[in-house]
Amino acid sequence: MSSKKNTQPIVFIGFMGSGKSTCARSLAKLLDWRDLDSDVIIERREKKAIPQIFKTKGESYFRTIESKVIKDLLQKPQSVLAFGGGVVCRKVNRVLIRKRAFVVWLKVSSDVLALRTRKSKNRPLLNVRNRKEAIVSLLKERDLYYKRCANVIIPNNSGDVLEKIKRIPRIKELLREKRS
Ligand code: S3P
């Protein structure tokens, strides 16, 4: 029988392009848990793509929906959650995430993020003339928040990130539990 701690959601946080959704999907498969993505749920609820929500209703409307969605998601045991990169900007979100989940921050440098997001058109905050500058400035604002939220920091500039994740003691324990 799993302890409550070990059914607590696992949350991936980090900047846009840090690999949260891919990691959540892969880890969920390994654990046989469900994987859920806050952006996908928001788009489904609003029946609009994220750039459309930003354009028609504004960022602050988006953030309010985002807070509601993550609150719901954090109540789901045995789930691996990928949260939008800006979720850590609101203190209420940070407090809730810390309280309800085991949190992994995928930390990526601004150079690599700029490269990975260069073709992305669905991230309104990056649709600016100087994308690299926007990334650097947002990271400066957010890094401390990611750090405050995280139980573990996993560098994800290169290499096999899933292997790194599998070495996190808490994850190791869950994988061991699953096998037994
Ligand atoms: C945002 C990140 C996006 C999405 C929205 C805002 C941000 O999610 O929620 O465009 O403020 O960093 P991803 O991190 O999944 O790209």
Side-chain angles (χ1 to χ4, degrees):
M1 187 66 171
S2 296
S3 68
K4 187 155 185 266
K5 179 185 126 198
N6 283 357
T7 62
Q8 210 181 34
I10 296 166
V11 171
F12 285 98
I13 57 166
F15 203 78
M16 297 170 261
S18 58
K20 296 164 296 206
S21 306
T22 313
C23 287
R25 213 172 303 124
S26 311
L27 181 61
K29 207 174 261 177
L30 282 180
L31 291 172
D32 215 359
W33 285 14
R34 62 189 145 182
D35 81 280
L36 295 158
D37 187 311
S38 63
D39 286 341
V40 173
I41 312 275
I42 293 168
E43 291 187 326
R44 217 180 280 154
R45 278 199 193 175
E46 291 295 298
K47 299 188 177 66
K48 275 193 191 87
I50 285 171
Q52 245 47 53
I53 304 174
F54 269 71
K55 200 170 154 196
T56 58
K57 308 246 174 111
E59 181 174 351
S60 129
Y61 176 87
F62 172 83
R63 297 293 172 204
T64 302
I65 304 292
E66 182 175 58
S67 292
K68 286 186 190 150
V69 164
I70 68 145
K71 196 171 172 195
D72 289 351
L73 292 179
L74 286 165
Q75 277 162 23
K76 297 185 187 299
Q78 298 196 311
S79 58
V80 186
L81 311 174
F83 283 173
V87 82
V88 294
C89 296
R90 284 195 171 180
K91 188 169 181 199
V92 277
N93 295 347
R94 294 198 298 273
V95 171
L96 202 67
I97 294 169
R98 282 284 324 193
K99 195 168 152 199
R100 301 260 169 86
F102 181 78
V103 189
V104 181
W105 173 22
L106 296 175
K107 191 174 183 199
V108 178
S109 72
S110 55
D111 285 335
V112 175
L113 289 170
L115 198 69
R116 283 197 198 149
T117 57
R118 73 193 182 284
K119 289 187 182 146
S120 164
K121 290 200 170 64
N122 58 359
R123 291 171 166 129
L125 296 180
L126 298 183
N127 282 341
V128 290
R129 213 167 352 113
N130 192 335
R131 183 170 284 197
K132 177 70 195 295
E133 210 172 84
I135 291 174
V136 170
S137 133
L138 283 168
L139 270 180
K140 201 169 154 200
E141 187 186 312
R142 292 178 178 179
D143 263 4
L144 185 66
Y145 296 149
Y146 291 133
K147 194 172 167 196
R148 276 191 200 153
C149 259
N151 291 104
V152 185
I153 303 172
I154 296 291
N156 190 21
N157 279 337
S158 62
D160 189 338
V161 67
L162 194 59
E163 280 310 310
K164 294 181 210 166
I165 291 168
K166 278 162 43 183
R167 286 199 291 267
I168 299 170
R170 172 74 160 258
I171 310 282
K172 252 182 164 169
E173 189 184 325
L174 288 169
L175 289 168
R176 210 178 307 123
E177 223 175 63
K178 191 191 164 244
R179 280 194 302 267
S180 65

